[in-house]
């Protein structure tokens, strides 16, 4: 029996999953996190205060305090069976990195002790030379260090019975450049805090801090591990490069919110338990549209914590899936012909006085504050649409964006009918002189219309990449495998920049003697006029929108290498420098790294395609050809006429035709790669990989392979088919 059939067999004969009852979420929530509550138990008053101060204001913790905190941390960790610790960070590979060290050490006289001091807590020097750095660290100085980030609490990771204390850190080079996703994100949030507080103070002097909030929705596929292992493309690329659509795909849409298969549910319950222990507040789980596709989402948190939690959860999901002999696929497009996976980023801002700045208020004054932040967000997206597009560009998302199930590569903003009317009304009054008594405009009675507003939004537009959903924006174009950090760094920086400029503009009016509210209204009017072309409520999947967007002058860059250009254009360099998020060299390095990642991904996919074609597809076709030949020859010897085996002959010819084509194209693909590999300049090379390798060969090759899959005897086909990958659990 071929491996494919024995795998199918073992799924069918697998042991019944025993349903385990999970502990109550509240009983275990955060038990593996060094929360402030835990810190209170393990630290002296002074040390506790010092830690809190550092979390709140980013104040540096001195050596002595660090030592004391390290002692407390170690005591807590040891009480939970921890033997090792690691600095946990988010390098530019897009995954997480850890290097475990033991508390165990030897003193100079050889006495064994368990040790963890302040210096080890605060700083580590991982052997960093193999992390991507885009040329920031030359090879002879391939050193970087990880530095403790007290704003994200330490946690304990339980892996295979071994417990490790993880210290969240940022990763920087010796010359001070960021080498990770976390450090720039923290800087962006800092910039936002400053300019948002300034603008808030027009309305409320009590506001002293603004944090951005993020609630992500993680989509993923789950397949049987055995079947996955029999697909080299899934193992090496995270997606299938070949595979004919099954007779039943997602056309019946019977999977969406359907009942979750038992085996998958057991997996979900299991990773939820791990997540709760780590303080990840998961709330929702359900089936997604495509067969085999699911989603989970937490309650929103402060952006930096939410980003950590998402990164951590992706890791946890992967590890827990092995316990269930399942494999989780986070790729943006694991299967052609059915939906891909995204990671919606629900984003808002909130004040230390407890106000959600993107929620319509209850009084005219708070409504004006809402409108201010709402309109500034639209303006930010309008002004930096290309940069937002760049933030979500990668090889995986290239398959998904615009694939008639995911938002198009054109950035636009959905705000719904009611708010469109409100903006029109404000704009229509351009040139009119407002005075303070102008009730109509200041009293834009949004609160009374909240039901209408929500109605508008429950029916909200699923085709928009950036949609207002009642009290937050939902950035829907982020890919499922990506860290949210990139998107969040960009979004919060452009918001910071827009708000800072807004303050300058408003102050100009005020200096001219305008009343504050009037100055704000005038500026908002101007912003609406300047940015309304980004607003679009129609069907983002439609052909008509592509034409309309072009007419409006909105950019539409379908491929990743070109979309990434916006990372390093003049406007972007200025933006990030001004807001102290990235220096020019950091941005250029990151751009280089993204391009390199793209090149490598396409290169690997191309190789895997070649391997599969030569080692799986063509041999399967030959086996089937031989069967047909034996059959035809046998019939011939018995005196059958050609008309009697015309069907066999036709199939044989068809199989041969596709086989020849696959052989030729596979060779041509290898040649194309050789040429492209000689290109020195990274950007040119990435563009060439996209057009001369991927676009020229991938779909063509796939077409013929998928045709063969439909023609060839099922017994001879070695690769698990879509219907098995998607439906067998
Ligand atoms: P859906 O998008 O499925 O309708 P919800 O609107 O309830 O679901 O929320 C989706 C996500 O948005 C959740 O993770 C939720 O916590 C998050 N969310 C809700 N309010 C905010 C907010 N103010 N800031 C950021 N995220 C939020
Ligand atoms: Mg949503």
């Amino acid at each position: 029996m071929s491996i494919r059939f024995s795998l199918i067999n073992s799924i069918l004969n697998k042991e019944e999953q025993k349903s385990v009852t999970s502990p109550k979420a509240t009983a275990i929530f955060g038990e593996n996190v060094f929360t402030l509550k835990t810190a209170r138990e393990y630290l002296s008053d002074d040390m506790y205060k010092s830690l809190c101060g550092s979390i709140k204001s980013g104040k540096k913790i001195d050596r002595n305090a660090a030592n004391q905190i390290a002692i407390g941390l170690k005591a807590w960790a040891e009480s939970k069976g921890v033997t090792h610790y690691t600095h946990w960070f988010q390098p530019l590979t897009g995954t997480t990195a850890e290097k475990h060290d033991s508390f165990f050490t030897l003193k100079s006289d050889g006495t064994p002790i368990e040790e963890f001091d302040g210096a080890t807590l605060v700083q580590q020097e991982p052997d960093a030379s193999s992390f991507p750095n885009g040329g920031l660290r030359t090879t002879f100085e391939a050193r970087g260090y990880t530095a403790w980030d007290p704003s994200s609490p330490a946690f304990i990771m339980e892996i295979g019975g071994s417990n490790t204390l993880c210290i969240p850190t940022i990763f920087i080079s010796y010359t001070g450049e960021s080498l990770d996703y976390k450090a720039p994100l923290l800087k962006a949030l800092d910039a936002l805090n400053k300019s948002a507080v300034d603008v808030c103070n027009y309305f409320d002097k009590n506001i002293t801090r603004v944090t951005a909030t993020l609630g992500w929705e993680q989509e993923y596929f789950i397949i049987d591990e055995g079947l996955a292992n029999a697909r080299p493309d899934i193992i090496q690329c995270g997606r299938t490069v070949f595979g004919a659509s099954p007779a039943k795909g997602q056309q019946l849409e019977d999977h969406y919110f359907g009942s979750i298969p038992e085996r998958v549910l057991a997996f979900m319950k299991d990773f939820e338990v791990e997540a709760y222990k780590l303080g990840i507040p998961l709330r929702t789980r359900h089936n997604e549209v495509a067969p085999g596709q699911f989603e989970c989402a937490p309650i929103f948190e402060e952006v930096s914590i939410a980003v950590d939690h998402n990164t951590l959860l992706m890791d946890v999901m992967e590890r827990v899936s092995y316990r269930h002999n399942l494999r989780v696929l986070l790729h943006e497009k694991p299967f052609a012909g059915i939906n891909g996976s995204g990671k919606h980023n629900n984003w808002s801002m909130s004040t230390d006085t407890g106000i959600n700045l993107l929620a319509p208020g209850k009084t005219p004054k708070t409504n004006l504050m809402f409108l201010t932040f709402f309109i500034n967000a639209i303006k930010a997206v309008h002004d930096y649409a290309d940069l937002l597009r760049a933030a979500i560009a990668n090889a995986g998302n290239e398959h998904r964006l615009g694939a008639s199930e995911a938002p198009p590569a054109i950035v636009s903003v959905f705000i719904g009918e009611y708010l469109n009317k409100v903006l029109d009304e404000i704009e229509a009054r351009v040139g009119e002189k407002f005075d303070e008594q102008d009730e109509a405009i200041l009293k834009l009675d949004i609160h009374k219309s909240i039901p209408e507003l929500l109605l508008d939004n429950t029916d909200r537009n699923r085709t928009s990449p950036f949609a207002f959903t009642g009290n937050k924006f939902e950035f829907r174009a982020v890919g499922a495998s990506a860290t949210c950090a990139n998107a969040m760094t960009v979004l919060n920086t452009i918001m910071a920049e827009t708000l800072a400029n807004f303050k300058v503009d408003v102050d100009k009016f005020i200096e001219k003697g305008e009343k504050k509210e009037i100055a704000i209204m005038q500026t908002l009017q101007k912003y609406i006029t300047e940015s309304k072309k980004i607003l679009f409520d129609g069907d983002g999947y439609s052909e008509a929108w592509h034409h309309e967007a072009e007419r409006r002058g909105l950019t539409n860059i379908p491929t990743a290498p070109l979309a990434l250009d916006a990372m390093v254009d003049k406007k972007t360099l200025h933006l990030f420098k001004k807001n102290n998020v990235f220096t020019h060299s950091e941005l250029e390095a990151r751009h280089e790294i993204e391009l390199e990642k793209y090149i490598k991904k396409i290169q690997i996919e191309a190789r895997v395609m070649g391997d599969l074609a030569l080692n799986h597809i063509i041999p399967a076709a030959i086996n089937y050809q031989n069967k047909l030949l034996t059959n035809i020859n046998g019939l011939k010897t018995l005196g059958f006429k050609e008309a009697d085996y015309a069907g066999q002959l036709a199939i044989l010819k068809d199989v041969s035709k596709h086989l020849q084509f696959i052989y030729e194209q596979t060779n041509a693909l290898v040649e194309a790669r050789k040429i492209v590999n000689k290109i020195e300049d990274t950007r040119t090379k990435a563009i060439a990989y996209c057009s001369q390798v991927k676009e020229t060969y991938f779909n063509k090759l796939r077409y013929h392979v998928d045709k063969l899959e439909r023609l060839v005897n099922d017994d001879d086909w070695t690769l698990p088919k879509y219907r098995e990958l998607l439906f067998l659990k």
Side-chain angles (χ1 to χ4, degrees), residues 213-215 217 298-300 346-348 356 460 471-472 474:
T213 49
L214 166 66
E217 301 165 58
I299 297 165
F300 70 92
N346 295 275
W347 168 83
S348 188
N356 174 358
R460 72 172 179 267
N471 58 3
K472 61 190 179 291
E474 183 168 339

mmCIF file with all atom_site columns, all heavy atoms in Angstrom, residues 213-215 217 298-300 346-348 356 460 471-472 474, ligand 1:
data_model
loop_
_atom_site.group_PDB
_atom_site.id
_atom_site.type_symbol
_atom_site.label_atom_id
_atom_site.label_alt_id
_atom_site.label_comp_id
_atom_site.label_asym_id
_atom_site.label_entity_id
_atom_site.label_seq_id
_atom_site.pdbx_PDB_ins_code
_atom_site.Cartn_x
_atom_site.Cartn_y
_atom_site.Cartn_z
_atom_site.occupancy
_atom_site.B_iso_or_equiv
_atom_site.pdbx_formal_charge
_atom_site.auth_seq_id
_atom_site.auth_comp_id
_atom_site.auth_asym_id
_atom_site.auth_atom_id
_atom_site.pdbx_PDB_model_num
ATOM   1   N N   . THR A 1 213 ? -4.539  50.281 21.188 1.00 0.00 ? 213 THR A N   1
ATOM   2   C CA  . THR A 1 213 ? -5.038  48.960 21.550 1.00 0.00 ? 213 THR A CA  1
ATOM   3   C C   . THR A 1 213 ? -5.160  48.090 20.300 1.00 0.00 ? 213 THR A C   1
ATOM   4   O O   . THR A 1 213 ? -5.414  48.589 19.212 1.00 0.00 ? 213 THR A O   1
ATOM   5   C CB  . THR A 1 213 ? -6.422  49.066 22.226 1.00 0.00 ? 213 THR A CB  1
ATOM   6   O OG1 . THR A 1 213 ? -7.259  49.908 21.432 1.00 0.00 ? 213 THR A OG1 1
ATOM   7   C CG2 . THR A 1 213 ? -6.312  49.655 23.611 1.00 0.00 ? 213 THR A CG2 1
ATOM   8   N N   . LEU A 1 214 ? -4.976  46.800 20.510 1.00 0.00 ? 214 LEU A N   1
ATOM   9   C CA  . LEU A 1 214 ? -5.018  45.871 19.376 1.00 0.00 ? 214 LEU A CA  1
ATOM   10  C C   . LEU A 1 214 ? -5.733  44.582 19.769 1.00 0.00 ? 214 LEU A C   1
ATOM   11  O O   . LEU A 1 214 ? -5.430  43.979 20.793 1.00 0.00 ? 214 LEU A O   1
ATOM   12  C CB  . LEU A 1 214 ? -3.588  45.540 18.922 1.00 0.00 ? 214 LEU A CB  1
ATOM   13  C CG  . LEU A 1 214 ? -3.410  44.340 17.984 1.00 0.00 ? 214 LEU A CG  1
ATOM   14  C CD1 . LEU A 1 214 ? -4.065  44.579 16.635 1.00 0.00 ? 214 LEU A CD1 1
ATOM   15  C CD2 . LEU A 1 214 ? -1.923  44.028 17.790 1.00 0.00 ? 214 LEU A CD2 1
ATOM   16  N N   . GLY A 1 215 ? -6.690  44.209 18.967 1.00 0.00 ? 215 GLY A N   1
ATOM   17  C CA  . GLY A 1 215 ? -7.315  42.881 19.101 1.00 0.00 ? 215 GLY A CA  1
ATOM   18  C C   . GLY A 1 215 ? -7.172  42.183 17.759 1.00 0.00 ? 215 GLY A C   1
ATOM   19  O O   . GLY A 1 215 ? -7.746  42.616 16.782 1.00 0.00 ? 215 GLY A O   1
ATOM   20  N N   . GLU A 1 217 ? -7.332  38.911 15.069 1.00 0.00 ? 217 GLU A N   1
ATOM   21  C CA  . GLU A 1 217 ? -8.102  37.694 14.793 1.00 0.00 ? 217 GLU A CA  1
ATOM   22  C C   . GLU A 1 217 ? -7.206  36.799 13.946 1.00 0.00 ? 217 GLU A C   1
ATOM   23  O O   . GLU A 1 217 ? -6.800  37.183 12.869 1.00 0.00 ? 217 GLU A O   1
ATOM   24  C CB  . GLU A 1 217 ? -9.381  38.036 14.035 1.00 0.00 ? 217 GLU A CB  1
ATOM   25  C CG  . GLU A 1 217 ? -10.295 38.999 14.791 1.00 0.00 ? 217 GLU A CG  1
ATOM   26  C CD  . GLU A 1 217 ? -11.356 39.609 13.880 1.00 0.00 ? 217 GLU A CD  1
ATOM   27  O OE1 . GLU A 1 217 ? -12.128 38.855 13.275 1.00 0.00 ? 217 GLU A OE1 1
ATOM   28  O OE2 . GLU A 1 217 ? -11.391 40.834 13.750 1.00 0.00 ? 217 GLU A OE2 1
ATOM   29  N N   . PRO A 1 298 ? -8.535  37.018 20.703 1.00 0.00 ? 298 PRO A N   1
ATOM   30  C CA  . PRO A 1 298 ? -8.543  37.350 22.123 1.00 0.00 ? 298 PRO A CA  1
ATOM   31  C C   . PRO A 1 298 ? -9.331  38.636 22.377 1.00 0.00 ? 298 PRO A C   1
ATOM   32  O O   . PRO A 1 298 ? -9.759  39.302 21.438 1.00 0.00 ? 298 PRO A O   1
ATOM   33  C CB  . PRO A 1 298 ? -7.073  37.623 22.392 1.00 0.00 ? 298 PRO A CB  1
ATOM   34  C CG  . PRO A 1 298 ? -6.608  38.283 21.125 1.00 0.00 ? 298 PRO A CG  1
ATOM   35  C CD  . PRO A 1 298 ? -7.447  37.703 20.010 1.00 0.00 ? 298 PRO A CD  1
ATOM   36  N N   . ILE A 1 299 ? -9.455  38.978 23.633 1.00 0.00 ? 299 ILE A N   1
ATOM   37  C CA  . ILE A 1 299 ? -9.924  40.311 23.998 1.00 0.00 ? 299 ILE A CA  1
ATOM   38  C C   . ILE A 1 299 ? -8.758  41.265 23.732 1.00 0.00 ? 299 ILE A C   1
ATOM   39  O O   . ILE A 1 299 ? -7.605  40.900 23.952 1.00 0.00 ? 299 ILE A O   1
ATOM   40  C CB  . ILE A 1 299 ? -10.308 40.337 25.486 1.00 0.00 ? 299 ILE A CB  1
ATOM   41  C CG1 . ILE A 1 299 ? -11.463 39.370 25.724 1.00 0.00 ? 299 ILE A CG1 1
ATOM   42  C CG2 . ILE A 1 299 ? -10.640 41.740 25.953 1.00 0.00 ? 299 ILE A CG2 1
ATOM   43  C CD1 . ILE A 1 299 ? -11.688 39.032 27.172 1.00 0.00 ? 299 ILE A CD1 1
ATOM   44  N N   . PHE A 1 300 ? -9.061  42.462 23.256 1.00 0.00 ? 300 PHE A N   1
ATOM   45  C CA  . PHE A 1 300 ? -7.973  43.374 22.883 1.00 0.00 ? 300 PHE A CA  1
ATOM   46  C C   . PHE A 1 300 ? -7.139  43.800 24.089 1.00 0.00 ? 300 PHE A C   1
ATOM   47  O O   . PHE A 1 300 ? -7.606  43.782 25.230 1.00 0.00 ? 300 PHE A O   1
ATOM   48  C CB  . PHE A 1 300 ? -8.517  44.593 22.145 1.00 0.00 ? 300 PHE A CB  1
ATOM   49  C CG  . PHE A 1 300 ? -9.315  45.544 23.006 1.00 0.00 ? 300 PHE A CG  1
ATOM   50  C CD1 . PHE A 1 300 ? -8.691  46.614 23.625 1.00 0.00 ? 300 PHE A CD1 1
ATOM   51  C CD2 . PHE A 1 300 ? -10.680 45.381 23.180 1.00 0.00 ? 300 PHE A CD2 1
ATOM   52  C CE1 . PHE A 1 300 ? -9.406  47.497 24.409 1.00 0.00 ? 300 PHE A CE1 1
ATOM   53  C CE2 . PHE A 1 300 ? -11.413 46.256 23.958 1.00 0.00 ? 300 PHE A CE2 1
ATOM   54  C CZ  . PHE A 1 300 ? -10.777 47.316 24.579 1.00 0.00 ? 300 PHE A CZ  1
ATOM   55  N N   . ASN A 1 346 ? -7.639  44.686 14.758 1.00 0.00 ? 346 ASN A N   1
ATOM   56  C CA  . ASN A 1 346 ? -8.584  45.678 15.266 1.00 0.00 ? 346 ASN A CA  1
ATOM   57  C C   . ASN A 1 346 ? -7.804  46.664 16.119 1.00 0.00 ? 346 ASN A C   1
ATOM   58  O O   . ASN A 1 346 ? -7.154  46.258 17.086 1.00 0.00 ? 346 ASN A O   1
ATOM   59  C CB  . ASN A 1 346 ? -9.666  45.004 16.104 1.00 0.00 ? 346 ASN A CB  1
ATOM   60  C CG  . ASN A 1 346 ? -10.528 44.081 15.267 1.00 0.00 ? 346 ASN A CG  1
ATOM   61  O OD1 . ASN A 1 346 ? -11.484 44.506 14.642 1.00 0.00 ? 346 ASN A OD1 1
ATOM   62  N ND2 . ASN A 1 346 ? -10.165 42.802 15.225 1.00 0.00 ? 346 ASN A ND2 1
ATOM   63  N N   . TRP A 1 347 ? -7.911  47.931 15.748 1.00 0.00 ? 347 TRP A N   1
ATOM   64  C CA  . TRP A 1 347 ? -7.017  48.919 16.366 1.00 0.00 ? 347 TRP A CA  1
ATOM   65  C C   . TRP A 1 347 ? -7.775  50.145 16.836 1.00 0.00 ? 347 TRP A C   1
ATOM   66  O O   . TRP A 1 347 ? -8.685  50.621 16.158 1.00 0.00 ? 347 TRP A O   1
ATOM   67  C CB  . TRP A 1 347 ? -5.959  49.310 15.331 1.00 0.00 ? 347 TRP A CB  1
ATOM   68  C CG  . TRP A 1 347 ? -5.119  50.494 15.643 1.00 0.00 ? 347 TRP A CG  1
ATOM   69  C CD1 . TRP A 1 347 ? -4.001  50.520 16.418 1.00 0.00 ? 347 TRP A CD1 1
ATOM   70  C CD2 . TRP A 1 347 ? -5.301  51.832 15.169 1.00 0.00 ? 347 TRP A CD2 1
ATOM   71  N NE1 . TRP A 1 347 ? -3.483  51.790 16.448 1.00 0.00 ? 347 TRP A NE1 1
ATOM   72  C CE2 . TRP A 1 347 ? -4.259  52.613 15.689 1.00 0.00 ? 347 TRP A CE2 1
ATOM   73  C CE3 . TRP A 1 347 ? -6.258  52.439 14.342 1.00 0.00 ? 347 TRP A CE3 1
ATOM   74  C CZ2 . TRP A 1 347 ? -4.130  53.977 15.423 1.00 0.00 ? 347 TRP A CZ2 1
ATOM   75  C CZ3 . TRP A 1 347 ? -6.141  53.796 14.074 1.00 0.00 ? 347 TRP A CZ3 1
ATOM   76  C CH2 . TRP A 1 347 ? -5.079  54.544 14.618 1.00 0.00 ? 347 TRP A CH2 1
ATOM   77  N N   . SER A 1 348 ? -7.413  50.614 18.004 1.00 0.00 ? 348 SER A N   1
ATOM   78  C CA  . SER A 1 348 ? -7.960  51.877 18.481 1.00 0.00 ? 348 SER A CA  1
ATOM   79  C C   . SER A 1 348 ? -6.953  52.524 19.427 1.00 0.00 ? 348 SER A C   1
ATOM   80  O O   . SER A 1 348 ? -5.818  52.049 19.545 1.00 0.00 ? 348 SER A O   1
ATOM   81  C CB  . SER A 1 348 ? -9.298  51.649 19.191 1.00 0.00 ? 348 SER A CB  1
ATOM   82  O OG  . SER A 1 348 ? -9.884  52.895 19.484 1.00 0.00 ? 348 SER A OG  1
ATOM   83  N N   . ASN A 1 356 ? -12.144 55.452 24.982 1.00 0.00 ? 356 ASN A N   1
ATOM   84  C CA  . ASN A 1 356 ? -11.759 54.912 23.683 1.00 0.00 ? 356 ASN A CA  1
ATOM   85  C C   . ASN A 1 356 ? -11.893 56.054 22.666 1.00 0.00 ? 356 ASN A C   1
ATOM   86  O O   . ASN A 1 356 ? -12.986 56.546 22.405 1.00 0.00 ? 356 ASN A O   1
ATOM   87  C CB  . ASN A 1 356 ? -12.676 53.741 23.310 1.00 0.00 ? 356 ASN A CB  1
ATOM   88  C CG  . ASN A 1 356 ? -12.404 53.234 21.899 1.00 0.00 ? 356 ASN A CG  1
ATOM   89  O OD1 . ASN A 1 356 ? -11.561 53.764 21.180 1.00 0.00 ? 356 ASN A OD1 1
ATOM   90  N ND2 . ASN A 1 356 ? -13.127 52.197 21.506 1.00 0.00 ? 356 ASN A ND2 1
ATOM   91  N N   . ARG A 1 460 ? -21.258 45.220 7.895  1.00 0.00 ? 460 ARG A N   1
ATOM   92  C CA  . ARG A 1 460 ? -20.110 45.948 7.396  1.00 0.00 ? 460 ARG A CA  1
ATOM   93  C C   . ARG A 1 460 ? -19.420 45.255 6.235  1.00 0.00 ? 460 ARG A C   1
ATOM   94  O O   . ARG A 1 460 ? -19.567 44.060 6.008  1.00 0.00 ? 460 ARG A O   1
ATOM   95  C CB  . ARG A 1 460 ? -19.130 46.228 8.519  1.00 0.00 ? 460 ARG A CB  1
ATOM   96  C CG  . ARG A 1 460 ? -18.400 45.011 8.991  1.00 0.00 ? 460 ARG A CG  1
ATOM   97  C CD  . ARG A 1 460 ? -17.339 45.452 9.961  1.00 0.00 ? 460 ARG A CD  1
ATOM   98  N NE  . ARG A 1 460 ? -16.641 44.292 10.456 1.00 0.00 ? 460 ARG A NE  1
ATOM   99  C CZ  . ARG A 1 460 ? -16.965 43.665 11.553 1.00 0.00 ? 460 ARG A CZ  1
ATOM   100 N NH1 . ARG A 1 460 ? -17.980 44.079 12.271 1.00 0.00 ? 460 ARG A NH1 1
ATOM   101 N NH2 . ARG A 1 460 ? -16.282 42.619 11.944 1.00 0.00 ? 460 ARG A NH2 1
ATOM   102 N N   . ASN A 1 471 ? -16.304 51.240 16.836 1.00 0.00 ? 471 ASN A N   1
ATOM   103 C CA  . ASN A 1 471 ? -15.500 51.861 17.889 1.00 0.00 ? 471 ASN A CA  1
ATOM   104 C C   . ASN A 1 471 ? -14.014 51.567 17.717 1.00 0.00 ? 471 ASN A C   1
ATOM   105 O O   . ASN A 1 471 ? -13.232 51.668 18.648 1.00 0.00 ? 471 ASN A O   1
ATOM   106 C CB  . ASN A 1 471 ? -15.979 51.403 19.269 1.00 0.00 ? 471 ASN A CB  1
ATOM   107 C CG  . ASN A 1 471 ? -15.911 49.888 19.403 1.00 0.00 ? 471 ASN A CG  1
ATOM   108 O OD1 . ASN A 1 471 ? -15.451 49.190 18.496 1.00 0.00 ? 471 ASN A OD1 1
ATOM   109 N ND2 . ASN A 1 471 ? -16.353 49.385 20.539 1.00 0.00 ? 471 ASN A ND2 1
ATOM   110 N N   . LYS A 1 472 ? -13.647 51.143 16.510 1.00 0.00 ? 472 LYS A N   1
ATOM   111 C CA  . LYS A 1 472 ? -12.251 50.803 16.197 1.00 0.00 ? 472 LYS A CA  1
ATOM   112 C C   . LYS A 1 472 ? -12.120 50.659 14.691 1.00 0.00 ? 472 LYS A C   1
ATOM   113 O O   . LYS A 1 472 ? -13.126 50.551 13.994 1.00 0.00 ? 472 LYS A O   1
ATOM   114 C CB  . LYS A 1 472 ? -11.887 49.473 16.861 1.00 0.00 ? 472 LYS A CB  1
ATOM   115 C CG  . LYS A 1 472 ? -12.765 48.318 16.353 1.00 0.00 ? 472 LYS A CG  1
ATOM   116 C CD  . LYS A 1 472 ? -12.593 47.046 17.160 1.00 0.00 ? 472 LYS A CD  1
ATOM   117 C CE  . LYS A 1 472 ? -13.457 45.912 16.681 1.00 0.00 ? 472 LYS A CE  1
ATOM   118 N NZ  . LYS A 1 472 ? -14.908 46.078 16.902 1.00 0.00 ? 472 LYS A NZ  1
ATOM   119 N N   . GLU A 1 474 ? -10.527 48.254 11.655 1.00 0.00 ? 474 GLU A N   1
ATOM   120 C CA  . GLU A 1 474 ? -10.078 46.879 11.460 1.00 0.00 ? 474 GLU A CA  1
ATOM   121 C C   . GLU A 1 474 ? -9.201  46.842 10.214 1.00 0.00 ? 474 GLU A C   1
ATOM   122 O O   . GLU A 1 474 ? -9.693  47.025 9.104  1.00 0.00 ? 474 GLU A O   1
ATOM   123 C CB  . GLU A 1 474 ? -11.304 45.971 11.307 1.00 0.00 ? 474 GLU A CB  1
ATOM   124 C CG  . GLU A 1 474 ? -10.968 44.514 11.165 1.00 0.00 ? 474 GLU A CG  1
ATOM   125 C CD  . GLU A 1 474 ? -12.209 43.610 11.301 1.00 0.00 ? 474 GLU A CD  1
ATOM   126 O OE1 . GLU A 1 474 ? -13.224 44.041 11.886 1.00 0.00 ? 474 GLU A OE1 1
ATOM   127 O OE2 . GLU A 1 474 ? -12.154 42.478 10.811 1.00 0.00 ? 474 GLU A OE2 1
HETATM 128 P P1  . LIG B 2 .   ? -15.945 40.782 15.012 1.00 0.00 ? 1   LIG B P1  1
HETATM 129 O O1  . LIG B 2 .   ? -14.889 41.506 14.245 1.00 0.00 ? 1   LIG B O1  1
HETATM 130 O O2  . LIG B 2 .   ? -15.900 39.306 14.741 1.00 0.00 ? 1   LIG B O2  1
HETATM 131 O O3  . LIG B 2 .   ? -17.289 41.382 14.834 1.00 0.00 ? 1   LIG B O3  1
HETATM 132 P P2  . LIG B 2 .   ? -15.580 42.122 17.548 1.00 0.00 ? 1   LIG B P2  1
HETATM 133 O O4  . LIG B 2 .   ? -16.051 43.341 16.912 1.00 0.00 ? 1   LIG B O4  1
HETATM 134 O O5  . LIG B 2 .   ? -16.237 41.724 18.819 1.00 0.00 ? 1   LIG B O5  1
HETATM 135 O O6  . LIG B 2 .   ? -15.603 40.882 16.565 1.00 0.00 ? 1   LIG B O6  1
HETATM 136 O O7  . LIG B 2 .   ? -14.046 42.279 17.871 1.00 0.00 ? 1   LIG B O7  1
HETATM 137 C C1  . LIG B 2 .   ? -13.038 41.750 17.143 1.00 0.00 ? 1   LIG B C1  1
HETATM 138 C C2  . LIG B 2 .   ? -11.765 42.053 17.884 1.00 0.00 ? 1   LIG B C2  1
HETATM 139 O O8  . LIG B 2 .   ? -11.701 43.460 18.084 1.00 0.00 ? 1   LIG B O8  1
HETATM 140 C C3  . LIG B 2 .   ? -11.663 41.423 19.266 1.00 0.00 ? 1   LIG B C3  1
HETATM 141 O O9  . LIG B 2 .   ? -10.355 40.938 19.441 1.00 0.00 ? 1   LIG B O9  1
HETATM 142 C C4  . LIG B 2 .   ? -11.932 42.586 20.172 1.00 0.00 ? 1   LIG B C4  1
HETATM 143 O O10 . LIG B 2 .   ? -11.321 42.431 21.432 1.00 0.00 ? 1   LIG B O10 1
HETATM 144 C C5  . LIG B 2 .   ? -11.281 43.714 19.386 1.00 0.00 ? 1   LIG B C5  1
HETATM 145 N N1  . LIG B 2 .   ? -11.656 45.053 19.867 1.00 0.00 ? 1   LIG B N1  1
HETATM 146 C C6  . LIG B 2 .   ? -12.815 45.478 20.393 1.00 0.00 ? 1   LIG B C6  1
HETATM 147 N N2  . LIG B 2 .   ? -12.719 46.759 20.814 1.00 0.00 ? 1   LIG B N2  1
HETATM 148 C C7  . LIG B 2 .   ? -11.440 47.164 20.535 1.00 0.00 ? 1   LIG B C7  1
HETATM 149 C C8  . LIG B 2 .   ? -10.686 48.358 20.748 1.00 0.00 ? 1   LIG B C8  1
HETATM 150 N N3  . LIG B 2 .   ? -11.225 49.423 21.324 1.00 0.00 ? 1   LIG B N3  1
HETATM 151 N N4  . LIG B 2 .   ? -9.404  48.372 20.347 1.00 0.00 ? 1   LIG B N4  1
HETATM 152 C C9  . LIG B 2 .   ? -8.838  47.302 19.770 1.00 0.00 ? 1   LIG B C9  1
HETATM 153 N N5  . LIG B 2 .   ? -9.488  46.168 19.558 1.00 0.00 ? 1   LIG B N5  1
HETATM 154 C C10 . LIG B 2 .   ? -10.774 46.082 19.932 1.00 0.00 ? 1   LIG B C10 1
#
